[in-house]
Amino acid sequence: MKVKDSLRISGKIKIDTFRAGMVELVTPLLEHLKALKDSDLPTHSYLNRRTEIDLVKKKIDELKAAYFIQTAVECPNLIMDSPNYGLDLVIQRLVGINTYSGNILWIEIGTGSTTPTVNDTALTTPTLRAAVNFQEDYATTDAIVQCYITDAQLANATYKEIGGFVDGTSTIGTGQIFNHALLSPTYGKVAGQDTTIQIDISVSNS
């Protein structure tokens, strides 16, 4: 039997569109879901909390399904690989260097069309930064983060790039970029639509 001795980290981007109003309805549920995940309940309350989490996630999924228009983009993205960015942030945490949290807290979308490289430190032409509203450890191999953007927050335009950022603030460009994608196809935002952006980072033995 061949022993697997290498680790592969890859990622993808997905942009979904919804009829305007979805984000407003879902936001309180997302906040409730986060509070449930962060709560420090006694052991005997774990099953009740797990059940409530599942119910809230089901309600979120139902609302999204009712307002769903289409998946506008689904494409791979590049993980950065330079000191203090991307892969190096994972390595730092493994060896006890905790300068950065390692948490992807922000997602930026922009109009730049330059092909990403592993040495990128920012988007080419960032337009909007949105806070991550949902995080999930999926099946032990995938980290899923999502942001929910209202119709009013995102201007109608053609968007060509997306990146996820560890730490930083609501100010565009702050924090440490983790991944950078050139969208294919591009995303043409139109009036009357809410937008969700999902970054999926997959870690597997290859």
Side-chain angles (χ1 to χ4, degrees):
M1 182 177 69
K2 182 179 179 181
V3 177
K4 295 181 178 180
D5 58 2
S6 61
L7 195 65
R8 180 173 182 268
I9 299 182
S10 59
K12 67 179 181 180
I13 299 289
K14 186 171 79 160
I15 299 178
D16 287 331
T17 62
F18 303 82
R19 289 185 290 113
M22 183 278 292
V23 172
E24 183 179 2
L25 292 173
V26 165
T27 296
L29 294 171
L30 291 168
E31 293 171 350
H32 182 43
L33 184 62
K34 184 179 186 304
L36 286 169
K37 289 181 175 181
D38 292 345
S39 65
D40 186 19
L41 295 175
T43 303
H44 69 271
S45 300
Y46 174 78
L47 290 178
N48 291 336
R49 181 177 59 177
R50 183 71 258 173
T51 298
E52 188 170 358
I53 286 173
D54 290 342
L55 288 173
V56 174
K57 289 174 69 174
K58 181 180 178 182
K59 182 62 176 176
I60 291 170
D61 289 342
E62 289 173 347
L63 283 169
K64 290 172 69 175
Y67 280 74
F68 181 76
I69 297 174
Q70 67 171 339
T71 296
V73 183
E74 193 162 8
C75 67
N77 79 113
L78 186 66
I79 310 298
M80 303 301 95
D81 188 9
S82 62
N84 295 324
Y85 298 96
L87 294 177
D88 189 45
L89 299 178
V90 178
I91 296 301
Q92 288 184 21
R93 296 291 292 188
L94 290 175
V95 298
I97 300 173
N98 300 318
T99 305
Y100 306 106
S101 72
N103 302 322
I104 297 177
L105 301 179
W106 307 95
I107 297 175
E108 286 184 2
I109 187 168
T111 57
S113 58
T114 302
T115 301
T117 75
V118 295
N119 296 311
D120 290 347
T121 60
L123 265 62
T124 305
T125 314
T127 301
L128 177 77
R129 168 172 284 212
V132 167
N133 305 97
F134 176 83
Q135 302 165 317
E136 185 170 35
D137 173 1
Y138 182 77
T140 74
T141 59
D142 285 61
I144 296 174
V145 296
Q146 299 173 340
C147 67
Y148 289 67
I149 306 170
T150 66
D151 179 36
Q153 289 173 322
L154 188 61
N156 300 331
T158 298
Y159 296 95
K160 302 176 182 178
E161 59 176 338
I162 281 175
F165 288 77
V166 170
D167 299 339
T169 68
S170 59
T171 301
I172 284 178
T174 58
Q176 311 305 114
I177 193 170
F178 189 85
N179 62 294
H180 189 187
L182 192 64
L183 299 180
S184 179
T186 58
Y187 174 45
K189 162 65 172 58
V190 299
Q193 291 186 2
D194 289 348
T195 304
T196 65
I197 302 172
Q198 176 172 309
I199 295 175
D200 187 343
I201 305 297
S202 179
V203 181
S204 62
N205 289 314
S206 59

